[in-house]
């Protein structure tokens, strides 16, 4: 049986992609065979599709770190045929063929049943981005973050994680300051919940002093680099920064002063290798008490054929919100 996939090949160091017909193989023992209905486009997918080092080690390859669909075949009693499921993270789309193909075959311990109060498309509007935003929020709440602490700064706010974070925080009663380099998206950011918008340039420049004026109750950072450095200087006493990305840079500069004089907290967030139980809890919360009324306004649908253009748009900073990849 043949199936279609966005297939990336390397020839003499040059990477190119095409919609290819691949042969469907029988799943190995302990694996679940899933017919993919929807996936989503993430920054990591764009890196895998372009041959960036450290993401995918072997080509040809099918990217896609997210997949949602229906179990086609399984020898695991927990996932009988016809079960609607979600797979995010682990090795999916990295060195295991991912969600940009009409079928995936993955270990059963990567798979979650879709929450009852969420359809497959909505699960991929969230995808890894939404899961990451939810985990960042959970980390902040674990440090007793509350709306009365002051505004929460969300960096990279027009991206997937940032957009969902803005909406989630606003829906939970927080004042949200959205940081973006896309001034033309201010209306979008306010429509999804931001109270105000600050330019990326303003936060990149910051202050040369080791500490600045207290501006933010908490921070949810997706970019790293100088923006994170300056945000930490501006956290209020007892504030926390949940960090989950490195779009600007994996490096940032800091002194111990804000940590020991303002009692601030730096919280790392991973959505890839955390346990399935932690993922399940976050998905259940997104399907229930954290379900976003603004979810549809964050997303637009694309086909496999449109992926190449949207991947280029990611690298040129043109993508806003979430791109849902429809495979059926």
């Amino acid at each position: 049986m043949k199936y279609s996939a966005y297939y990336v090949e390397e020839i003499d160091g040059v990477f190119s992609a095409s919609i290819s017909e691949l042969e469907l193989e029988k799943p190995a023992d302990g694996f679940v065979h899933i017919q993919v209905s929807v996936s989503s486009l993430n920054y990591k997918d764009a890196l895998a599709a372009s041959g960036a080092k450290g993401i995918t080690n072997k080509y040809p390859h099918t990217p896609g770190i997210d997949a949602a669909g229906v179990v086609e075949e399984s020898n695991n009693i927990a996932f009988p045929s016809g079960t609607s499921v979600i797979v995010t993270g682990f090795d999916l789309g990295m060195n295991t063929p991912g969600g940009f193909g009409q079928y995936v075959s993955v270990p059963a311990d990567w798979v979650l049943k879709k929450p009852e109060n969420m359809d497959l498309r909505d699960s991929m509007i969230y995808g890894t981005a939404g899961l990451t935003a939810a985990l960042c929020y959970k980390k902040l709440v674990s440090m007793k973050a509350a709306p009365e602490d002051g505004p929460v700064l969300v960096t990279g706010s027009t991206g997937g994680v940032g957009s969902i974070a803005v909406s989630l925080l606003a829906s939970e009663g927080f004042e949200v300051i959205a940081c973006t380099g896309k001034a033309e998206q201010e209306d979008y950011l306010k429509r999804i919940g931001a109270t105000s918008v600050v330019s990326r340039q303003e936060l990149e420049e910051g202050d040369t002093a080791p500490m600045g004026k207290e501006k933010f109750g908490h921070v949810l950072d997706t970019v790293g680099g100088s923006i994170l450095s300056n945000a930490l200087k501006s956290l209020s006493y007892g504030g926390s920064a949940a960090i989950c990305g490195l779009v600007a840079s994996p490096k940032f500069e800091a002194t111990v002063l804000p940590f020991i004089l303002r009692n601030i907290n730096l919280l790392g967030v991973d959505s890839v290798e955390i346990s399935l139980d932690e993922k399940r809890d976050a998905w259940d919360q997104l399907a229930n008490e954290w379900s976003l009324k603004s979810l549809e306004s964050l997303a637009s649908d694309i086909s496999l054929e449109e992926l190449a253009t949207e991947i280029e748009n990611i690298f040129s900073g043109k993508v806003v919100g979430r791109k849902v990849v429809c495979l059926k």
Side-chain angles (χ1 to χ4, degrees):
M1 178 180 171
K2 300 280 188 180
Y3 70 98
S4 296
Y6 186 83
Y7 201 53
V8 181
E9 299 179 272
E10 179 187 10
I11 301 174
D12 297 328
V14 177
F15 294 86
S16 62
S18 61
I19 309 303
S20 300
E21 294 295 308
L22 305 180
E23 190 68 39
L24 188 63
E25 299 179 359
K26 188 175 180 63
D29 287 346
F31 278 60
V32 177
H33 216 80
I34 301 165
Q35 183 178 17
V36 181
S37 300
V38 280
S39 181
S40 69
L41 177 59
N42 301 276
Y43 184 67
K44 190 179 285 186
D45 300 321
L47 294 175
S50 62
K53 292 181 179 180
I55 303 298
T56 299
N57 297 321
K58 186 178 179 181
Y59 292 86
H61 177 63
T62 301
I65 62 171
D66 293 337
V70 176
V71 173
E72 177 92 355
E73 186 177 353
S74 168
N75 52 25
N76 187 304
I77 60 172
F79 300 106
S81 297
T83 306
S84 293
V85 294
I86 300 170
V87 187
T88 64
F90 300 110
D91 194 47
L92 183 70
M94 297 178 69
N95 293 297
T96 300
F100 294 170
Q102 292 175 321
Y103 285 87
V104 295
S105 184
V106 298
D109 56 6
W110 293 5
V111 183
L112 283 172
K113 291 182 180 178
K114 177 188 67 65
E116 289 185 7
N117 295 336
M118 181 184 290
D119 64 29
L120 288 172
R121 181 174 174 276
D122 284 355
S123 76
M124 290 294 97
I125 298 178
Y126 288 114
T128 289
L131 177 63
T132 304
L135 292 169
C136 286
Y137 179 65
K138 285 172 73 77
K139 273 283 181 80
L140 291 174
V141 171
S142 74
M143 302 303 291
K144 304 198 182 305
E148 55 266 27
D149 298 338
V152 180
L153 174 70
V154 177
T155 67
S157 55
T158 61
V161 179
S163 291
I164 293 173
V166 168
S167 294
L168 176 56
L169 285 159
S171 71
E172 294 299 306
F174 287 82
E175 177 185 348
V176 180
I177 299 175
C179 173
T180 182
K182 302 170 184 172
E184 71 278 7
Q185 297 300 331
E186 182 171 351
D187 287 345
Y188 163 77
L189 289 167
K190 289 184 175 179
R191 188 168 65 250
I192 66 173
T195 306
S196 60
V197 177
V198 61
S199 73
R200 178 176 64 201
Q201 182 180 6
E202 181 180 335
L203 276 180
E204 282 176 334
E205 293 173 352
D207 191 332
T208 57
M211 292 201 303
K213 182 180 178 181
E214 297 179 51
K215 298 178 182 177
F216 314 119
H218 304 284
V219 174
L220 195 156
D221 177 66
T222 73
V223 300
S226 59
I227 290 177
L228 174 59
S229 298
N230 290 318
L232 291 174
K233 295 177 186 179
S234 301
L235 271 173
S236 297
Y237 188 90
S240 297
I243 62 171
C244 63
L246 43 70
V247 175
S249 173
K251 299 179 180 180
F252 68 96
E253 294 184 358
T255 72
V256 299
L257 293 178
F259 295 91
I260 63 175
L261 297 180
R262 288 188 180 157
N263 194 33
I264 68 169
N265 310 288
L266 188 59
L267 313 171
V269 176
D270 166 52
S271 62
V272 177
E273 295 293 341
I274 61 168
S275 73
L276 211 59
D277 285 341
E278 290 177 280
K279 289 187 177 184
R280 184 180 294 108
D281 288 345
W283 278 112
D284 285 344
Q285 287 174 297
L286 285 170
N288 293 290
E289 64 263 38
W290 294 348
S291 178
L292 297 178
K293 294 179 181 178
S294 62
L295 188 63
E296 188 61 41
S297 66
L298 305 178
S300 57
D301 293 348
I302 61 172
S303 64
L304 285 179
E305 289 75 15
E306 294 172 297
L307 267 171
T309 298
E310 294 298 338
I311 286 169
E312 289 300 318
N313 286 340
I314 280 184
F315 289 130
S316 59
K318 296 178 181 178
V319 171
V320 174
R322 297 286 288 145
K323 298 294 180 181
V324 178
V325 184
C326 301
L327 290 99
K328 289 186 70 175

